[in-house]
Amino acid sequence: MLITITGPSAVGKDFVKEAILATFPQVSELVWATTRAKRPGKREMNRLSVTMHEFQQLEQSGRLAAIQEVYREYYGLMVSGIVLGQTYLTELHIANIDAITHLFYRMVRIAIIPDSIELLEYRLRHIRKTETAEKIAKRMSHAEQEIEQIKKSSELFSRIFVVTEGNQNTIAQSVLGHLETKITRRLQ
């Protein structure tokens, strides 16, 4: 089974992923190869940073799936580590949901969106503090499009959670509650 989390930059996907992994030790995070450099101070156990040449070699050897370009950086799912019968977790851009469905028999798709675009901008500027003004503007433009796509494709998701200022912990708990029966039923 695969649990996917979809949402724009700075919505809190990492926070929710950490809560899922801490609560359900039987869930493993999928590993992505990426040309993006690691963010300073961020633990990214699910990302293998590679050069563009290394990425192309992985792609040509058939070891990557769901290849995507996001903000001029490339990502590809490392398929070699996927074990049949295991429950996995990953972030997934809405445009790539179809590209990964053939790899998993069962998927639980979750989306997280903000109640306002201003909340994302605030988080990028004042909490994350790792982006230039130009990158923030680009992320905000993409975020608006991504939120609209999620809303238009709501049937793809088992649930869409809306983040407001101050309810991040509540959202994580709600996601855990939503997943609990799905994961425990899977283990029985």
Side-chain angles (χ1 to χ4, degrees):
M1 176 170 74
L2 176 64
I3 302 161
T4 65
I5 301 177
T6 300
S9 292
V11 78
K13 296 181 301 286
D14 284 336
F15 183 80
V16 171
K17 278 192 333 183
E18 287 175 17
I20 292 168
L21 293 169
T23 304
F24 303 107
Q26 68 273 32
V27 174
S28 300
E29 197 166 4
L30 289 176
V31 177
W32 292 81
T34 180
T35 59
R36 188 192 92 193
K38 289 187 178 190
R39 285 193 196 122
K42 186 170 179 185
R43 192 185 112 254
E44 295 182 327
M45 303 297 287
N46 67 321
R47 292 205 170 84
L48 173 65
S49 293
V50 297
T51 65
M52 188 60 187
H53 177 72
E54 291 168 327
F55 188 90
Q56 290 168 336
Q57 287 180 320
L58 289 168
E59 181 180 12
Q60 290 168 359
S61 69
R63 296 188 332 202
L64 298 179
I67 295 167
Q68 57 188 325
E69 180 184 358
V70 180
Y71 308 117
R72 295 194 174 147
E73 300 292 353
Y74 290 86
Y75 296 80
L77 175 62
M78 300 286 296
V79 294
S80 57
I82 298 173
V83 177
L84 188 64
Q86 174 70 34
T87 300
Y88 291 98
L89 170 67
T90 195
E91 287 180 37
L92 197 60
H93 189 278
I94 188 166
N96 289 326
I97 287 176
D98 288 340
I100 202 170
T101 54
H102 70 284
L103 296 172
F104 293 90
Y105 172 72
R106 185 161 177 244
M107 292 177 68
V108 177
R109 299 179 191 113
I110 295 168
I112 305 172
I113 59 174
D115 69 336
S116 72
I117 200 74
E118 292 80 16
L119 176 61
L120 295 182
E121 186 169 6
Y122 176 82
R123 287 179 171 191
L124 285 170
R125 288 189 192 283
H126 304 291
I127 296 172
R128 188 182 280 179
K129 298 180 188 178
T130 59
E131 317 290 335
T132 64
E134 181 183 332
K135 282 188 177 182
I136 290 172
K138 189 179 290 184
R139 285 186 183 277
M140 296 309 299
S141 171
H142 285 120
E144 289 176 341
Q145 295 169 10
E146 196 170 353
I147 293 164
E148 202 53 42
Q149 279 184 293
I150 289 168
K151 288 178 179 178
K152 285 181 182 175
S153 305
S154 61
E155 74 283 351
L156 291 176
F157 301 99
S158 62
R159 184 118 178 245
I160 297 175
F161 295 88
V162 179
V163 173
T164 62
E165 187 57 45
N167 81 338
Q168 189 166 336
N169 287 328
T170 305
I171 291 295
Q173 291 304 311
S174 296
V175 169
L176 294 174
H178 179 69
L179 291 175
E180 187 165 11
T181 57
K182 294 169 182 358
I183 292 173
T184 54
R185 191 178 327 141
R186 169 107 173 85
L187 294 173
Q188 296 172 347

mmCIF file with all atom_site columns, all heavy atoms in Angstrom, residues 18 162 188:
data_model
loop_
_atom_site.group_PDB
_atom_site.id
_atom_site.type_symbol
_atom_site.label_atom_id
_atom_site.label_alt_id
_atom_site.label_comp_id
_atom_site.label_asym_id
_atom_site.label_entity_id
_atom_site.label_seq_id
_atom_site.pdbx_PDB_ins_code
_atom_site.Cartn_x
_atom_site.Cartn_y
_atom_site.Cartn_z
_atom_site.occupancy
_atom_site.B_iso_or_equiv
_atom_site.pdbx_formal_charge
_atom_site.auth_seq_id
_atom_site.auth_comp_id
_atom_site.auth_asym_id
_atom_site.auth_atom_id
_atom_site.pdbx_PDB_model_num
ATOM 1  N N   . GLU A 1 18  ? 6.254  13.204 9.250  1.00 0.00 ? 18  GLU A N   1
ATOM 2  C CA  . GLU A 1 18  ? 6.975  12.826 10.479 1.00 0.00 ? 18  GLU A CA  1
ATOM 3  C C   . GLU A 1 18  ? 6.020  12.227 11.509 1.00 0.00 ? 18  GLU A C   1
ATOM 4  O O   . GLU A 1 18  ? 6.368  11.260 12.192 1.00 0.00 ? 18  GLU A O   1
ATOM 5  C CB  . GLU A 1 18  ? 7.718  14.032 11.045 1.00 0.00 ? 18  GLU A CB  1
ATOM 6  C CG  . GLU A 1 18  ? 8.933  14.409 10.223 1.00 0.00 ? 18  GLU A CG  1
ATOM 7  C CD  . GLU A 1 18  ? 9.623  15.672 10.701 1.00 0.00 ? 18  GLU A CD  1
ATOM 8  O OE1 . GLU A 1 18  ? 9.381  16.109 11.850 1.00 0.00 ? 18  GLU A OE1 1
ATOM 9  O OE2 . GLU A 1 18  ? 10.417 16.227 9.928  1.00 0.00 ? 18  GLU A OE2 1
ATOM 10 N N   . VAL A 1 162 ? -7.649 20.885 5.338  1.00 0.00 ? 162 VAL A N   1
ATOM 11 C CA  . VAL A 1 162 ? -7.399 22.317 5.172  1.00 0.00 ? 162 VAL A CA  1
ATOM 12 C C   . VAL A 1 162 ? -6.657 22.844 6.392  1.00 0.00 ? 162 VAL A C   1
ATOM 13 O O   . VAL A 1 162 ? -7.149 22.746 7.519  1.00 0.00 ? 162 VAL A O   1
ATOM 14 C CB  . VAL A 1 162 ? -8.721 23.100 4.965  1.00 0.00 ? 162 VAL A CB  1
ATOM 15 C CG1 . VAL A 1 162 ? -8.441 24.585 4.811  1.00 0.00 ? 162 VAL A CG1 1
ATOM 16 C CG2 . VAL A 1 162 ? -9.474 22.558 3.750  1.00 0.00 ? 162 VAL A CG2 1
ATOM 17 N N   . GLN A 1 188 ? -3.924 -6.887 9.168  1.00 0.00 ? 188 GLN A N   1
ATOM 18 C CA  . GLN A 1 188 ? -4.683 -8.058 9.640  1.00 0.00 ? 188 GLN A CA  1
ATOM 19 C C   . GLN A 1 188 ? -4.843 -9.094 8.560  1.00 0.00 ? 188 GLN A C   1
ATOM 20 O O   . GLN A 1 188 ? -4.765 -8.892 7.425  1.00 0.00 ? 188 GLN A O   1
ATOM 21 C CB  . GLN A 1 188 ? -6.048 -7.627 10.163 1.00 0.00 ? 188 GLN A CB  1
ATOM 22 C CG  . GLN A 1 188 ? -5.908 -6.733 11.364 1.00 0.00 ? 188 GLN A CG  1
ATOM 23 C CD  . GLN A 1 188 ? -7.231 -6.127 11.800 1.00 0.00 ? 188 GLN A CD  1
ATOM 24 O OE1 . GLN A 1 188 ? -8.219 -6.164 11.092 1.00 0.00 ? 188 GLN A OE1 1
ATOM 25 N NE2 . GLN A 1 188 ? -7.245 -5.551 12.991 1.00 0.00 ? 188 GLN A NE2 1
#
